[in-house]
């Protein structure tokens, strides 16, 4: 069965898109830890990041770097943190999280609830800086 992220790639379920190219897609996490929390995925479904071949892994990282730099320009933050968890969705994804402090990277924190308009506006602000 296709992952929820493959359904996003196929346009079967919506997302707040930040950036895309032929191989990769970046969109806002629906349960953000901080405003601008973004997921970067390969369009081709693979479960575990460390099973990617070196070329796909390095291209994914290079794409994530571009997105991180755009997040940094678009939103007030000290750094953009990067994390890989992957326990919930079995489709490779990198979390990019604009942070002010170390605790912003704690995945046990309560998630933010932002309106659709806020999410749209944040995605557009990042997309403009790509
Ligand atoms: P994990 O697999 O543990 O790295 O967590 C998966 C992440 O995907 C969580 O932060 C979810 O909030 C996020 N997520 C799940 N479904 C969607 C969706 N449809 N759109 C955006 N983010 C999602």
């Amino acid at each position: 069965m296709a992952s929820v992220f493959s359904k996003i790639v196929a346009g079967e379920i919506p997302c707040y898109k930040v950036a895309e190219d032929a191989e990769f897609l970046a969109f806002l996490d629906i349960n953000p830890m901080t405003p601008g929390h973004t997921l970067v995925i390969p369009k081709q479904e693979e479960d575990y990041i460390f099973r990617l071949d070196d070329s796909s892994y390095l291209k994914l990282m290079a794409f994530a770097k571009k997105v991180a730099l755009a997040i940094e320009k678009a939103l007030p933050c000290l750094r953009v943190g990067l994390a890989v968890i992957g326990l919930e969705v079995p489709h490779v994804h990198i979390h990019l999280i604009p942070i002010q402090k170390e605790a912003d990277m704690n995945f046990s924190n309560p998630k933010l609830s932002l309106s659709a308009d806020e999410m749209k506006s944040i995605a557009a602000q990042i997309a403009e800086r790509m």
Side-chain angles (χ1 to χ4, degrees):
M1 203 178 69
S3 75
V4 63
F5 292 167
S6 285
K7 289 183 180 164
I8 288 177
V9 171
E12 289 164 20
I13 59 175
C15 72
Y16 298 101
K17 196 197 310 186
V18 163
E20 113 179 280
D21 70 8
E23 289 174 87
F24 305 105
L25 175 67
F27 54 92
L28 296 185
D29 193 302
I30 206 77
N31 304 302
M33 310 242 287
T34 66
H37 178 174
T38 298
L39 302 176
V40 181
I41 67 165
K43 290 184 174 178
Q44 181 158 350
E45 188 170 332
E46 168 68 56
D47 178 357
Y48 185 36
I49 192 165
F50 298 124
R51 301 264 180 273
L52 292 174
D53 61 62
D54 285 359
S55 164
S56 304
Y57 177 81
L58 293 173
K59 281 195 273 179
L60 174 67
M61 283 294 169
F63 187 78
K65 177 181 167 182
K66 283 189 213 153
V67 177
L69 293 174
I71 293 172
E72 203 183 298
K73 284 186 207 139
L75 300 169
C77 60
L78 290 180
R79 294 271 164 151
V80 174
L82 182 156
V84 175
I85 311 289
L87 290 173
E88 186 188 316
V89 178
H91 182 139
V92 171
H93 53 283
I94 292 174
H95 294 260
L96 296 176
I97 303 165
I99 55 174
Q100 301 287 354
K101 56 188 184 306
E102 187 182 305
D104 290 337
M105 291 296 289
N106 182 349
F107 278 77
S108 300
N109 289 343
K111 304 301 183 288
L112 299 179
S113 180
L114 302 176
S115 71
D117 282 349
E118 287 171 310
M119 294 287 273
K120 262 186 230 161
S121 156
I122 290 167
Q125 286 173 60
I126 301 169
E128 270 172 29
R129 277 133 183 120
M130 284 297 296

